[in-house]
Amino acid sequence: MEPDMAQLLIADKALIVIFILLICLINGALIVTQVRKPMFYQRVKLMMIISLAIGDIIFALFPLVVLARRFFEADITFMTCRLSTNTTTYMSFLIHFVYGLGLVVLAAEVFLRNRIQSIHDNNYKIISAVGASSVPWILGLIIILPLCMSKVNYESDCTNSQSLESMIGVSIFLPVSLSIVISIVLNCVHGPTLQQRQIIGTDLQPIIVSQQTVAQQENFNYNPLNSNPYPQNAAPYPPHYPYPANQQVMNQSSTVNINLNQGVSTIHVTPMNQRVEGQKLLLISIIFGLMVVPIASIALRAADIVWVDSMTETVVTQFVFWLMAARSFLTPLIMIGYSNL
């Protein structure tokens, strides 16, 4: 069974317009949500989320717009070898590498947030936030661009002699695996926080409390005809607490030693929201993997796959492509809730 190419082109045109709008709107809302928070530029978490959202917007405005031109324009001579290589490199390799490492940075930030000494220098906080959010992009420019573009023959047939296994392995499988593994570790390992490592000791001297009990002896003449046998200035002993018969009342002193030096104690503080943030990051990492690994696997094994017919091949390849593109607006939707934790 052969696919209807005219109907397929109409569907592609509709989908690509919808995807471009959704990606721009959702990621734009994600960025606005972050920049409205006070001192967002001093927080690694918020700056990393903004960086990933900008990457998805670039994905919509560069590769998808170029692809839309191919769908809507009959003349595709604008698609030069260099433009095609740049589009494929960003859409198929760079954006996934950056997003996966961005999730790793977010997981590391959650773990280290309450375990390192807080720095009160605002300039240092800004530099740290900007630097940490730039790490995935810097590594992508250093690793992915040379890996995917250095062996392209721009002069003749625009072929890339670089191994597809190495490009997909480094740009997709590695960051997906790292993001999932680090998120699992974040959910399972809870090391001591900075507050838990602080030991408070009390070094107080013992307090000596002395109590002097004196039984006043008073001389008085006992008169059996007197109804009140006690002296007028003395009160009778409480009837419920009589002295034992063999106990003599005498001048005595008692000393009580209260030792408040109880050694050391540790304050246990559980990191706020670490478990919830770890679960959210694990969910995002799993969704990220499920949406980008299928197209990478099919591309990697394309020569070995035997399709039943061309319709099946078209449906499967179209599905995994749009599934990969949908990641750019689905995970940002989840990220909006994660950023508010």
Side-chain angles (χ1 to χ4, degrees), residues 244-280:
N246 60 351
Q247 180 174 349
Q248 296 180 354
V249 179
M250 63 184 69
N251 293 338
Q252 59 182 354
S253 65
S254 60
T255 301
V256 180
N257 292 331
I258 302 176
N259 190 353
L260 297 181
N261 188 4
Q262 302 296 332
V264 296
S265 59
T266 304
I267 297 178
H268 296 280
V269 180
T270 302
M272 296 298 294
N273 291 333
Q274 175 177 319
R275 185 177 298 274
V276 178
E277 290 186 68
Q279 292 172 352
K280 283 280 188 179

Side-chain angles (χ1 to χ4, degrees), residues 50-105:
I50 292 173
S51 177
L52 296 180
I54 292 174
D56 282 331
I57 291 177
I58 295 174
F59 173 78
L61 297 181
F62 174 46
L64 291 189
V65 167
V66 171
L67 193 59
R69 288 190 62 187
R70 292 191 60 181
F71 291 156
F72 284 93
E73 296 182 12
D75 184 9
I76 60 172
T77 55
F78 72 91
M79 183 64 76
T80 62
C81 177
R82 192 168 297 276
L83 178 60
S84 176
T85 301
N86 295 340
T87 301
T88 302
T89 299
Y90 190 91
M91 178 171 58
S92 301
F93 304 107
L94 181 61
I95 184 61
H96 309 312
F97 180 84
V98 169
Y99 204 88
L101 289 191
L103 294 178
V104 172
V105 171

Side-chain angles (χ1 to χ4, degrees), residues 68-296:
R69 288 190 62 187
R70 292 191 60 181
F71 291 156
F72 284 93
E73 296 182 12
D75 184 9
I76 60 172
T77 55
F78 72 91
M79 183 64 76
T80 62
C81 177
R82 192 168 297 276
L83 178 60
S84 176
T85 301
N86 295 340
T87 301
T88 302
T89 299
Y90 190 91
M91 178 171 58
S92 301
F93 304 107
L94 181 61
I95 184 61
H96 309 312
F97 180 84
V98 169
Y99 204 88
L101 289 191
L103 294 178
V104 172
V105 171
L106 287 174
E109 187 273 338
V110 172
F111 184 79
L112 296 175
R113 185 185 304 156
N114 297 311
R115 291 173 173 82
I116 59 176
Q117 186 68 36
S118 178
I119 304 298
H120 299 288
D121 186 357
N122 291 333
N123 292 330
Y124 180 84
K125 289 181 179 180
I126 295 173
I127 294 174
S128 299
V130 174
S133 61
S134 302
V135 167
W137 291 100
I138 294 173
L139 292 178
L141 295 177
I142 294 174
I143 298 173
I144 301 302
L145 293 190
L147 180 66
C148 298
M149 302 177 67
S150 61
K151 295 186 177 181
V152 177
N153 188 351
Y154 293 103
E155 303 300 330
S156 58
D157 54 358
C158 198
T159 56
N160 192 345
S161 59
Q162 182 64 265
S163 169
L164 186 61
E165 289 81 0
S166 61
M167 292 191 293
I168 291 179
V170 173
S171 62
I172 297 179
F173 291 144
L174 177 62
V176 167
S177 302
L178 281 177
S179 63
I180 294 176
V181 170
I182 297 299
S183 298
I184 293 175
V185 171
L186 180 64
N187 282 274
C188 297
V189 177
H190 299 283
T193 64
L194 182 64
Q195 291 84 357
Q196 289 173 337
R197 293 196 299 266
Q198 292 177 347
I199 299 177
I200 300 177
T202 58
D203 189 14
L204 301 178
Q205 297 296 328
I207 299 176
I208 308 301
V209 180
S210 297
Q211 181 179 2
Q212 188 78 19
T213 304
V214 179
Q216 297 180 354
Q217 297 180 355
E218 300 191 23
N219 295 323
F220 62 93
N221 296 324
Y222 174 71
N223 186 358
L225 299 178
N226 188 357
S227 60
N228 185 8
Y230 301 101
Q232 294 181 357
N233 60 349
Y237 293 116
H240 299 291
Y241 302 97
Y243 282 100
N246 60 351
Q247 180 174 349
Q248 296 180 354
V249 179
M250 63 184 69
N251 293 338
Q252 59 182 354
S253 65
S254 60
T255 301
V256 180
N257 292 331
I258 302 176
N259 190 353
L260 297 181
N261 188 4
Q262 302 296 332
V264 296
S265 59
T266 304
I267 297 178
H268 296 280
V269 180
T270 302
M272 296 298 294
N273 291 333
Q274 175 177 319
R275 185 177 298 274
V276 178
E277 290 186 68
Q279 292 172 352
K280 283 280 188 179
L281 283 176
L282 180 59
L283 174 63
I284 295 173
S285 300
I286 292 174
I287 293 176
F288 168 57
L290 291 176
M291 300 185 82
V292 301
V293 167
I295 190 171

Side-chain angles (χ1 to χ4, degrees), residues 6-23:
Q7 295 296 324
L8 183 62
L9 182 60
I10 294 174
D12 285 338
K13 290 179 179 179
L15 284 174
I16 202 162
V17 171
I18 293 172
F19 274 51
I20 290 174
L21 293 176
L22 282 177
I23 292 171

